[in-house]
Amino acid sequence: MKFAILSFPGSNCEMDLYYAIKDIIKEDAELVSYKKDSLDGFDAVLVPGGFSYGDYLRSGAIARFSPIIKPLQKFAESGKPVLGICNGFQILTEAGLLPGSLQKNVSAKFICEPEKLVVNNNKTMFSNGYDFEQKITLPIAHGDGNYYADVKTLRELEENNQIVFKYWNNPNGSVANIAGIINKKGNVLGMMPHPERAVEDILGSSDGKGIFYSIVKTIKDRGVIYE
Amino acid sequence: MSNQQQATPEQIRDQKVYRGMGLTDYEYGLIKDNVLHRLPNYTEIGLYSGMWSEHCSYKNSKPVLKKFYTKGKRVVKGPGEGAGIIDIGDGQGVVFKAESHNHPSAVEPFQGATTGVGGILRDIFSMGARPIASLDSLRFGNVKNDADKYFISQIVAGISSYGNCIGVPTVGGDTAFDDAYQNNPLVNVMCVGLMNIDNMEVGAAAGAGNAIIYVGADTGRDGINGASFASAEFDSEHESQRSAVQVGDPFNEKLVMEGCLDVIDNHKDALVGIQDMGAAGLVSSSAEMGSKAGGNGMKLNLDLVPQREKGMSAFELMLSESQERMLLCVKAGKEDEVLKVFADHGVNAVVIGRVTDGSDYVLEHHGKVVANVPVDSLSADAPVYHRESKEPARIDQESPEQFDPEVSVPTETLRKMLSQPTIASKENIFKTYDTQVQTNTVVGPGSDAAVVRILHKNKAIAITTDVNGRYLYLNPRVGGQMAVAEAGRNVVASGAFPLGITDCLNFGNPEKPDQFYELDQAVMGMSEACEKLESPVISGNVSLNNEFDDVAIYPSPMVGMVGLIDDLKKVTTQDLKQANDLVYVLGKTGDDFNGSEIQRMQTGKVSGQLFNFDLDYEVKIQKLVQKAINDGLLNSAHDVSEGGLIVSIAESTFGNQLGVNLVSDLTAKQFFAETQSRFVVSVSEENREQFETLVGGDASLLGRVTNDNHLFVQTADSYFDMAVDEAYQTWKGALPCVLK
């Protein structure tokens, strides 16, 4: 299968994702510029971390006006997997593909550290490689990771089991300890922690591999029925 | 200075206008009588004031820098370019350099720190290398009030904001506190890049007719003549110097970097040379490129320079230190090819001039020639001063007696020691840095050295920054040796052998003989250690005039060392690994307390003659550790430095929360001695015999690692007894508490 890894001006985790997919997960991957107007031929899209457009105005706020966003929205509508990590999560909320928004950390500082997460829903195409309530450790590295959603949205997220990952020790003030959420349809996941930084023991953790394997497994074993 | 009427050549002479720009009467005379043979105009005086500042010309330090040991079979490029290069095999080289941003950070901590990071990154990628790691060496005064806290938090935030955004991991560095840095903090940034040696670029502009291309941000009125500002002393009036500080835009830098690396990687045939516009901005980059090509002239049309503000004068355009700008020399006919690359990256690029026959450096503005000077007179032929050197009176008068610390309840002294800001964990600082982006960080901040893997190769580099200014204050020569030696111990403890060093020479005013003595002696000491450790100096930076109201900082030559770990299996950390392992101290311990942390902690200052240091013994101990790691005998290794043996032992227990049960014939006081050439190591029982045979009498067995979370050390006269988690919390919690 083939992953598209989007690249915006100021993205800085796209190569990390590229090597994670190519070297560790052993699947095909290609960088796709923000200028492109098509995502044809890809089985999954990864929206990487970094500081698209310097995070000026608001994280992800400018990136969402890029040409690639329309095909991304179409791709998401088709039911194929879209994973946004860190700045990618921020872009997905700005582009209306996920509810809520990401505010400045309560400490008002950037935080980079390994964080313990709880798998709150292992029935998604991004988390089926984990056990329910399994604890995994993934690094976070963000200044604006404080997830916010209003009470109504939050209730919906909970009722629909859309909260996929929760922090064990909330590092940034996110409502309901949310580290990652999925859309109602179940094919767009946004998360602040970086699974691509946790795919090799020598770098401290391999817990992130499960997310990529889940995507691959979903597509390869079951095949996704696109509407 | 922007809008006021510029002085005429006669006014410059009669009113000595040049003095306000940092030129002396002597230097003005040189320009007028020996170089131009006429009166220089305002723009020309501006060019010389920037180019002949210490920051650009090294006029005071050049004779000293010649004393550095710079040889080595792996050295591809030594000092002189943007950064030095060392061969690490497989056709790859590591490129590294450090830069100081002390003065800008003192007046505007956030922007001063960001632009420090930005500048050193440009030095690295202008060599054709992708930056893979940066480190920060910071020195602050002791925190006394909210203003101090604000100041430190802003410097850290500045580094964090720039480094994180551009996607280069901040993997390490060092931070220390001493009142000697109260009004003159040190902000030194080191960057390491990785390159294919075939892609090596130089900052030269050769070939008449070739284009000079300006790349990056528009030029504004920020940091005008910052180089001569940075080369001047500070005083209580320095608040008014704020306008000399630049403002950083990491997003723009990221685009500029990607564009430049694209040109270097994929359009090599078009490119003649590339250089960062750093100190003294456009004049420095262009004149140095011409000078390095053998004295090539050029003609620049300043009307073509992208400008952020209206009505900028030629003086301002040439001396602005607006950030995120590069200068390229591109072959005639290939301009469009290169301009298109930058356009694709969303980066502004314009042809602003051409290389010319001859050696005249000519600037045109509004249709008139506003400067015409010999290119070498700006750069290669800048004046050099051989300053007078005199041993400071204090060194001669210091007592040879070693300080005798008061350690009646060793556990309590240890508790207090672990909470000293210099000793305590710096986690709350480095947690705000992205330490992992690029996914090669094997060992991040907080260890002896950071370890960064070379992607797709079974090897890694170890990187560290070190200097203890207190040692140099007591003895600049020996302290200089110690700075390099400690950096060596750090990379060796992580499983590497030294490749080379870079430095930031932070000193006082070189026109004062005692300050010059410190610089000169420190460099000689460093050089001696570099030679013995086979770790040549490949690049560096000089920051002089670090004084406030006439009082200098401690002499502080920051050493940034890079080592090579030739097999990932050899990566070693300081953390004890498992119960029952044997704990040894390698090297001898003496009553060495002058200049130590415990002396400062108990007396508020450092004094007396610095204790002895034997460079040959240092080399011997480092080689033993290298051999032991190569033979797979060590489960952990940690260098002994500030705070002494007990601090190293405590730090070794923290990572895996293991205890130790140790017995020693040293006294409790001696556990705080800062004798050099020592390591704490742990060894599995099965390797005991082989290890003891290897090290012979140079190691003492102290005891064993335990599972009981207790740090217990029986000394000759007393004991240390503390729960590991309590020691850890004390060490970890101290700095957040001070900075809260």
Side-chain angles (χ1 to χ4, degrees):
Chain A
M1 66 172 289
K2 193 168 186 182
F3 286 85
I5 300 167
L6 304 192
S7 175
F8 298 90
S11 296
N12 64 27
C13 299
E14 68 271 42
M15 292 312 292
D16 302 356
L17 270 167
Y18 182 81
Y19 290 123
I21 300 296
K22 294 281 264 197
D23 294 355
I24 309 295
I25 309 298
K26 310 276 187 206
E27 293 292 341
D28 200 7
E30 190 181 312
L31 293 186
V32 177
S33 162
Y34 70 105
K35 294 176 186 167
K36 290 278 161 55
D37 56 8
S38 160
L39 285 163
D40 292 349
F42 292 102
D43 301 299
V45 174
L46 306 176
V47 191
F51 289 71
S52 59
Y53 294 93
D55 275 358
Y56 296 146
L57 184 60
R58 210 169 51 239
S59 304
I62 303 178
R64 85 158 179 96
F65 293 104
S66 307
I68 194 68
I69 294 298
K70 276 223 172 81
L72 178 67
Q73 285 162 336
K74 206 174 118 205
F75 191 90
E77 273 165 37
S78 78
K80 293 187 197 179
V82 174
L83 169 61
I85 300 164
C86 199
N87 194 227
F89 185 10
Q90 294 159 345
I91 293 170
L92 293 179
T93 61
E94 289 288 340
L97 289 170
L98 287 171
S101 65
L102 292 137
Q103 305 176 321
K104 216 168 236 331
N105 296 345
V106 280
S107 66
K109 286 181 178 168
F110 190 96
I111 306 170
C112 176
E113 63 184 6
E115 209 63 61
K116 199 192 270 185
L117 308 179
V118 183
V119 179
N120 193 54
N121 175 357
N122 71 333
K123 302 274 191 278
T124 78
M125 59 171 84
F126 305 94
S127 59
N128 59 42
Y130 299 108
D131 295 333
F132 177 58
E133 293 194 334
Q134 184 179 336
K135 294 185 187 57
I136 60 175
T137 299
L138 300 181
I140 61 164
H142 58 245
D144 301 338
N146 176 359
Y147 181 78
Y148 175 79
D150 60 33
V151 179
K152 184 166 158 279
T153 309
L154 190 61
R155 199 181 312 127
E156 271 179 31
L157 289 175
E158 280 166 349
E159 281 168 2
N160 299 323
N161 206 7
Q162 288 174 254
I163 303 170
V164 180
F165 299 107
K166 285 190 167 201
Y167 296 112
W168 185 252
N169 292 309
N170 191 337
N172 52 25
S174 289
V175 64
N177 300 322
I178 286 173
I181 55 163
I182 198 162
N183 64 345
K184 224 179 257 178
K185 198 169 186 171
N187 71 315
V188 178
L189 179 91
M191 62 191 297
M192 288 313 293
H194 286 270
E196 81 282 11
R197 296 187 182 188
V199 294
E200 293 176 85
D201 289 338
I202 191 173
L203 303 180
S205 166
S206 293
D207 290 356
K209 284 198 285 196
I211 290 173
F212 303 110
Y213 283 138
S214 296
I215 300 172
V216 173
K217 184 171 180 297
T218 305
I219 297 219
K220 285 195 172 165
D221 293 1
R222 192 167 48 128
V224 175
I225 315 289
Y226 302 119
E227 51 204 67
Chain B
M1 126 188 26
S2 51
N3 292 318
Q4 77 193 40
Q5 196 64 38
Q6 288 181 351
T8 65
E10 292 74 20
Q11 286 169 329
I12 292 169
R13 178 191 60 197
D14 300 339
Q15 296 168 17
K16 304 195 191 307
V17 173
Y18 52 83
R19 282 187 182 174
M21 300 186 207
L23 289 169
T24 63
D25 293 356
Y26 166 74
E27 287 166 342
Y28 177 75
L30 277 184
I31 296 162
K32 176 167 69 72
D33 301 328
N34 294 23
V35 179
L36 300 181
H37 307 288
R38 62 174 166 82
L39 293 182
N41 66 32
Y42 191 81
T43 304
E44 289 167 338
I45 277 296
L47 303 183
Y48 285 102
S49 79
M51 294 303 293
W52 287 13
S53 67
E54 175 63 30
H55 208 87
C56 292
S57 72
Y58 299 94
K59 62 187 171 188
N60 293 297
S61 51
K62 231 179 212 169
V64 176
L65 300 178
K66 288 201 173 125
K67 299 182 181 182
F68 268 137
Y69 175 75
T70 59
K71 294 194 247 348
K73 58 180 187 300
R74 289 176 177 269
V75 177
V76 178
K77 192 118 217 144
E81 276 295 334
I85 307 175
I86 291 187
D87 192 337
I88 58 164
D90 300 314
Q92 289 178 305
V94 284
V95 181
F96 54 93
K97 193 186 178 194
E99 189 147 301
S100 59
H101 246 222
N102 307 336
H103 287 71
S105 303
V107 290
E108 216 296 55
F110 184 90
Q111 293 298 347
T114 63
T115 54
V117 178
I120 191 67
L121 287 166
R122 288 192 296 280
D123 276 332
I124 299 304
F125 68 72
S126 69
M127 300 299 294
R130 177 168 287 277
I132 58 168
S134 58
L135 299 87
D136 305 288
S137 183
L138 309 176
R139 295 293 179 275
F140 300 119
N142 285 302
V143 180
K144 297 187 181 70
N145 52 42
D146 285 348
D148 294 343
K149 292 175 195 172
Y150 175 78
F151 182 79
I152 293 171
S153 74
Q154 286 295 294
I155 291 205
V156 171
I159 294 169
S160 157
S161 105
Y162 208 101
N164 296 351
C165 182
I166 202 158
V168 176
T170 303
V171 297
D174 65 318
T175 305
F177 298 82
D178 195 293
D179 285 340
Y181 307 102
Q182 187 66 41
N183 293 304
N184 196 319
L186 301 184
V187 177
N188 291 179
V189 191
M190 173 178 178
C191 184
V192 185
L194 181 68
M195 69 186 296
N196 292 320
I197 291 175
D198 288 347
N199 274 355
M200 182 168 70
E201 286 301 334
V202 289
N210 284 340
I212 303 294
I213 295 184
Y214 172 113
V215 172
D218 292 354
T219 297
R221 288 191 176 101
D222 48 342
I224 303 256
N225 220 355
S228 55
F229 153 72
S231 303
E233 277 174 53
F234 266 166
D235 52 47
S236 313
E237 304 295 312
H238 73 274
E239 287 295 319
S240 67
Q241 293 163 331
R242 195 174 301 270
S243 68
V245 180
Q246 317 81 355
V247 176
D249 175 358
F251 172 58
N252 203 351
E253 175 115 332
K254 167 88 171 152
L255 302 183
V256 169
M257 175 173 84
E258 296 300 341
C260 288
L261 289 174
D262 191 349
V263 169
I264 291 167
D265 288 343
N266 305 315
H267 302 270
K268 215 175 159 41
D269 289 348
L271 190 61
V272 180
I274 176 169
Q275 180 140 344
D276 150 44
M277 270 192 241
L282 185 51
V283 56
S284 156
S285 50
S286 57
E288 279 178 18
M289 284 179 87
S291 212
K292 272 190 269 190
N296 257 344
M298 63 178 70
K299 192 186 222 175
L300 305 181
N301 181 351
L302 303 189
D303 299 327
L304 301 174
V305 172
Q307 294 165 40
R308 201 169 63 216
E309 297 174 55
K310 287 206 176 102
M312 290 185 70
S313 67
F315 173 94
E316 290 170 325
L317 288 167
M318 295 310 292
L319 291 167
S320 161
E321 291 186 9
S322 292
Q323 298 290 292
E324 292 88 30
R325 302 180 301 161
M326 302 289 289
L327 200 66
L328 274 61
C329 181
V330 169
K331 281 185 192 147
K334 301 269 190 184
E335 297 89 344
D336 289 345
E337 176 185 336
V338 170
L339 295 178
K340 184 178 178 308
V341 175
F342 285 109
D344 286 346
H345 286 272
V347 175
N348 198 12
V350 242
V351 177
I352 61 163
R354 298 272 165 193
V355 179
T356 55
D357 285 320
S359 59
D360 293 338
Y361 181 85
V362 180
L363 305 177
E364 289 180 343
H365 193 216
H366 300 329
K368 277 192 238 150
V369 171
V370 291
N372 186 348
V373 302
V375 68
D376 279 343
S377 69
L378 290 169
S379 179
D381 296 343
V384 174
Y385 298 115
H386 296 264
R387 296 292 182 191
E388 188 191 338
S389 174
K390 185 168 172 293
E391 187 181 76
R394 67 160 198 279
I395 292 180
D396 201 29
Q397 290 156 4
E398 292 286 9
S399 158
E401 291 281 308
Q402 288 295 313
F403 170 68
D404 183 21
E406 156 72 37
V407 184
S408 50
V409 185
T411 306
E412 287 314 305
T413 311
L414 171 60
R415 193 190 313 276
K416 196 168 174 201
M417 180 60 76
L418 290 172
S419 61
Q420 298 303 304
T422 294
I423 303 295
S425 167
K426 309 300 183 297
E427 184 187 311
N428 71 321
I429 291 179
F430 60 67
K431 218 170 84 169
T432 67
Y433 303 148
D434 190 337
T435 60
Q436 295 173 308
V437 63
Q438 300 191 16
T439 50
N440 290 312
T441 308
V442 178
V443 179
S447 195
D448 283 321
V451 177
V452 177
R453 168 183 68 178
I454 304 300
L455 190 65
H456 299 144
K457 302 280 188 299
N458 181 30
K459 61 187 172 192
I461 53 170
I463 324 165
T464 184
T465 63
D466 284 292
V467 65
N468 185 331
R470 292 170 184 161
Y471 298 163
L472 280 112
Y473 178 72
L474 298 184
N475 188 326
R477 182 123 177 195
V478 176
Q481 293 178 349
M482 287 175 175
V484 175
E486 187 188 344
R489 286 199 298 279
N490 284 336
V491 303
V492 165
S494 62
F497 59 87
L499 286 172
I501 72 160
T502 184
D503 60 70
C504 273
L505 303 176
N506 306 285
F507 287 85
N509 180 349
E511 293 171 28
K512 297 177 184 168
D514 55 344
Q515 296 298 320
F516 185 78
Y517 174 89
E518 292 179 352
L519 170 67
D520 191 41
Q521 290 288 311
V523 165
M524 283 194 272
M526 292 164 74
S527 195
E528 286 152 4
C530 285
E531 185 166 5
K532 294 264 182 184
L533 294 170
E534 297 168 76
S535 184
V537 179
I538 64 155
S539 62
N541 155 270
V542 177
S543 173
L544 304 181
N545 300 300
N546 287 287
E547 303 196 357
F548 188 83
D549 287 348
D550 239 19
V551 179
I553 57 162
Y554 286 159
S556 306
M558 187 279 277
V559 174
M561 185 180 281
V562 177
L564 184 64
I565 301 173
D566 55 14
D567 182 341
L568 290 174
K569 283 204 292 286
K570 293 183 188 170
V571 174
T572 307
T573 64
Q574 67 191 37
D575 306 325
L576 301 171
K577 298 298 181 303
Q578 56 185 8
N580 283 325
D581 277 1
L582 299 147
V583 179
Y584 296 83
V585 57
L586 258 161
K588 306 266 183 273
T589 302
D591 291 310
D592 296 332
F593 297 106
N594 288 348
S596 65
E597 186 66 29
I598 197 167
Q599 184 186 37
R600 205 241 10 118
M601 182 172 98
Q602 297 191 340
T603 70
K605 60 185 172 72
V606 296
S607 62
Q609 286 181 14
L610 185 62
F611 44 84
N612 290 330
F613 177 54
D614 179 348
L615 204 42
D616 291 319
Y617 188 67
E618 173 76 38
V619 174
K620 181 186 177 193
I621 295 295
Q622 288 195 21
K623 295 268 184 206
L624 280 178
V625 173
Q626 283 179 42
K627 178 83 168 74
I629 290 176
N630 284 344
D631 293 349
L633 303 178
L634 301 190
N635 286 349
S636 72
H638 188 16
D639 120 89
V640 179
S641 59
E642 288 82 5
L645 182 55
I646 192 66
V647 169
S648 293
I649 292 170
E651 286 173 346
S652 302
T653 66
F654 294 157
N656 293 317
Q657 295 281 301
L658 289 163
V660 285
N661 190 349
L662 312 177
V663 184
S664 168
D665 51 14
L666 299 173
T667 63
K669 285 178 187 177
Q670 286 174 321
F671 270 83
F672 296 97
E674 295 188 9
T675 314
Q676 302 291 292
S677 318
R678 292 182 299 161
F679 291 87
V680 172
V681 301
S682 65
V683 175
S684 306
E685 182 66 48
E686 77 224 41
N687 291 324
R688 176 176 190 163
E689 203 181 316
Q690 201 184 338
F691 175 75
E692 289 185 353
T693 308
L694 171 69
V695 295
D698 289 312
S700 315
L701 177 62
L702 295 173
R704 286 184 190 269
V705 179
T706 67
N707 262 331
D708 67 0
N709 199 265
H710 224 77
L711 191 163
F712 183 83
V713 184
Q714 176 76 54
T715 66
D717 52 345
S718 186
Y719 61 89
F720 294 92
D721 186 2
M722 201 170 181
V724 168
D725 55 357
E726 188 194 344
Y728 176 68
Q729 292 304 335
T730 304
W731 174 79
K732 191 181 163 188
L735 204 53
C737 184
V738 168
L739 293 176
K740 195 163 65 187

